[in-house]
Amino acid sequence: MRTILCLALACSALLAQRSAVDEGALRAHLAFLADDVLEGRGTGQRGGELAVRYLETQLQVLGLQPANGSSYRQAVRLAGIRLDPAVSTLAFEGPRQVSVPALGTDLVMGAASAEPVLAVDAPLVFVGHGIAAGGRDDYKGLDVRGKVLVMLVGDRKGEAPMPLCCQPENYQGRWTYKFEEARRRGAAGALLVHTDASAGYGWTVVRNSWSGERFQRAGSGQAGAMQGWITEAFALRLFAAAGQDFRALAAGADNRAFRPVSLPIRARGTLRSAVRSLEQWNVAGLLPGTDPALRAECVIYSAHWDHFGTGPDGAIYHGAVDNASGCAAVLALAEALAARPLPRSVLFLFPCGEEQGLLGSSAYVASPLRPLAQTRLVINLESLNVVGPTRDIGLLGSDDPATRALCSRAAAASGLVITPAKPDPAGLCFRSDHFPFMQAGVPALSPGFSLDGGWDYLGDKAAAQAKAADFMNHYHRPSDRYHADWNLAGLMQQVRFALELGRLAGSER
């Protein structure tokens, strides 16, 4: 009996050691990364530089190797574009009236490339969802060169339900796809009609995202074109001025038989912007594998370090949940794994520019520090649970059988069940840094993405879900701040799941 007890105690000690993630250290990282001193970790801002320096210092303290030769940094060349609203104008001239939207209230806009001055003079055409993929063609052969496209956000396909899983072919609902398709077709611009339901967030999020400097990878812009969003309320007025019923046209756009509708309206104006070239950084450290036969392969843990920095009004967008929580988790995982390396190598990656359209992760995929073909799994940590413990773990990302089998085993070992798949009308799966890896064919997941919602919380489930839903009142706003009284039990569940999943992916032959 004594021998059995000793073995049981030894197994318990081993299990604790295998799950050794330091919550105190994680909380300290989270508090610091969301502190005022980092000024919201803005792309191209001083706070972003401080965040990069902090992350590379922490990787060095843990004894991880620089992942890019002798450097923990991977350069990402960007172009910055800041619209000057005081000297920029846009009006819509129709047969009945001229509609002048209020910038920020009715419309946000910007040049699609780094151009100081952009003249706009083009007719409008409504192209429904603007999708040309998967057997659907909303353009029906229409030549849209020289036209400004008005598009709906989302990917409703009439007879088909919203997708349950995160397949790259369902990407067409994302706003990034809309702008990409407009560029491919040589349009003079694209205006997306915002609704809370189709975008997955309120107009305030759009306005805040477009109110300061916007960024794109250098050389990726579309010269001579504009981009922007309009509110549904303004779309109703604009289409009425063209003699059209916006809601009727939008409903008809759900049908695959939809055909574009030219509007008797021209967009005219001038966009004046300050532009610059700059260099930002992905931060990456490497933990070499212990098995000579496997160490050439790797598992990646990632979390974007950027948020929106300091706004034009001086407000700090702290980005505590989004995504100081993910960065803190990856640092805690790095500490745990550095003490017990895996047979395969592990890369700890902190991409830049996620809030600007997954810029850093896309740049990494284009120039990987470890071969993509030898990347076993990407585990991306994004906007984690600061509400409380749950019975389940949600998964956004690859659904291939081998990856999901690993996830099932990791969930069981962590005392969790996997949340059943459900519709993704807000396109959450395409809004985080795992997605560029998926597009490149690398298995990738964002486990426990809190914006996914619907968690099976322990205790007072209704109260916890209400608290979680309240985060949307702080998402991409200055009020996404760290609170010392946060219950991190749910976040620690997510981190332990990620640790177990990484151990499985990093060990099995």
Side-chain angles (χ1 to χ4, degrees):
M1 180 64 70
R2 185 172 181 175
T3 302
I4 293 174
L5 178 60
C6 290
L7 286 172
L9 290 173
C11 289
S12 296
L14 180 60
L15 181 61
Q17 188 178 24
R18 282 179 55 80
S19 301
V21 177
D22 187 341
E23 179 179 344
L26 188 154
R27 188 179 286 272
H29 291 311
L30 171 54
F32 180 76
L33 288 166
D35 192 85
D36 283 359
V37 74
L38 264 71
E39 301 170 354
R41 308 185 308 278
T43 299
Q45 297 184 14
R46 176 178 176 272
E49 289 294 326
L50 291 174
V52 166
R53 189 72 186 101
Y54 180 77
L55 292 169
E56 66 180 353
T57 299
Q58 294 304 311
L59 296 178
Q60 187 174 17
V61 166
L62 292 172
L64 301 186
Q65 295 180 3
N68 190 19
S70 61
S71 177
Y72 292 97
R73 301 188 181 197
Q74 179 187 37
V76 181
R77 295 294 306 170
L78 301 180
I81 309 163
R82 184 187 296 272
L83 183 77
D84 187 343
V87 292
S88 297
T89 61
L90 189 69
F92 297 95
E93 302 176 4
R96 302 182 183 181
Q97 64 186 67
V98 176
S99 299
V100 182
L103 193 60
T105 301
D106 301 318
L107 163 81
V108 295
M109 64 180 182
S113 68
E115 296 178 275
V117 181
L118 173 66
V120 180
D121 186 358
L124 268 58
V125 56
F126 177 62
V127 293
H129 291 280
I131 294 174
R136 180 185 178 97
D137 180 12
D138 288 338
Y139 295 89
K140 301 298 191 296
L142 178 68
D143 184 354
V144 297
R145 287 176 293 181
K147 297 178 173 63
V148 172
L149 311 182
V150 182
M151 305 186 195
L152 303 173
V153 178
D155 65 348
R156 293 311 300 264
K157 302 179 177 68
E159 68 279 4
M162 297 304 296
L164 287 174
C165 55
C166 186
Q167 295 296 334
E169 57 264 29
N170 293 325
Y171 170 61
Q172 292 82 24
R174 287 291 290 140
W175 61 267
T176 46
Y177 168 85
K178 316 288 183 176
F179 290 150
E180 291 163 5
E181 190 62 33
R183 174 178 181 167
R184 282 189 286 267
R185 293 175 178 271
L191 293 172
L192 309 184
V193 181
H194 172 272
T195 66
D196 290 6
S198 63
Y201 38 75
W203 178 253
T204 301
V205 173
V206 178
R207 184 187 64 210
N208 290 348
S209 299
W210 286 67
S211 61
E213 189 174 18
R214 298 181 301 113
F215 299 90
Q216 56 187 225
R217 288 176 62 189
S220 68
Q222 179 187 0
M226 68 162 294
Q227 296 173 339
W229 294 64
I230 59 176
T231 65
E232 184 181 34
F234 182 73
L236 287 167
R237 302 198 302 271
L238 182 65
F239 277 57
Q244 296 283 356
D245 182 335
F246 169 73
R247 288 208 169 99
L249 289 180
D254 280 354
N255 194 300
R256 288 179 182 266
F258 166 83
R259 302 189 71 83
V261 178
S262 296
L263 303 176
I265 292 178
R266 292 189 75 86
R268 284 198 172 100
T270 303
L271 280 60
R272 299 182 184 276
S273 307
V275 302
R276 62 169 172 152
S277 298
L278 67 157
E279 198 166 53
Q280 290 293 275
W281 309 96
N282 294 335
V283 182
L286 182 70
L287 179 65
T290 59
D291 188 331
L294 295 177
R295 69 165 58 110
E297 301 176 5
C298 78
V299 172
I300 295 178
Y301 285 103
S302 66
H304 74 89
W305 60 256
D306 65 300
H307 201 57
F308 290 105
T310 302
D313 60 355
I316 296 175
Y317 290 73
H318 299 86
V321 172
D322 182 15
N323 188 35
S325 67
C327 291
V330 171
L331 288 174
L333 286 162
E335 182 178 8
L337 288 169
R340 293 177 60 85
L342 304 179
R344 289 185 174 85
S345 298
V346 183
L347 183 74
F348 300 92
L349 173 67
F350 300 90
C352 66
E354 189 268 358
E355 302 290 6
Q356 305 296 325
L358 314 184
L359 302 183
S361 53
S362 296
Y364 179 93
V365 168
S367 299
L369 300 178
R370 305 286 288 188
L372 296 182
Q374 293 176 292
T375 301
R376 175 73 178 245
L377 180 65
V378 176
I379 304 170
N380 181 63
L381 296 172
E382 164 78 53
S383 299
L384 300 179
N385 173 14
V386 298
V387 173
T390 65
R391 295 179 179 85
D392 59 342
I393 182 78
L395 298 176
L396 290 175
S398 301
D399 66 348
D400 63 279
T403 299
R404 291 296 167 133
L406 287 180
C407 291
S408 294
R409 291 172 57 191
S414 306
L416 298 168
V417 297
I418 294 175
T419 308
K422 58 187 179 227
D424 183 21
L428 290 173
C429 188
F430 313 116
R431 288 163 53 180
S432 196
D433 282 320
H434 67 277
F435 184 59
F437 289 95
M438 284 184 63
Q439 287 181 303
V442 179
L445 297 158
S446 282
F449 191 9
S450 290
L451 293 182
D452 191 19
W455 303 107
D456 187 6
Y457 290 97
L458 299 175
D460 189 338
K461 183 176 178 179
Q465 287 183 334
K467 186 176 180 180
D470 181 62
F471 174 65
M472 292 309 298
N473 295 320
H474 308 285
Y475 175 63
H476 285 190
R477 301 186 189 188
S479 55
D480 179 12
R481 306 188 64 141
Y482 170 72
H483 298 276
D485 62 352
W486 270 347
N487 179 355
L488 299 189
L491 188 154
M492 293 304 295
Q493 288 178 311
Q494 294 170 330
V495 172
R496 284 191 288 269
F497 169 84
L499 178 62
E500 188 62 29
L501 179 59
R503 281 192 167 124
L504 290 171
S507 302
E508 295 203 339
R509 293 184 180 272

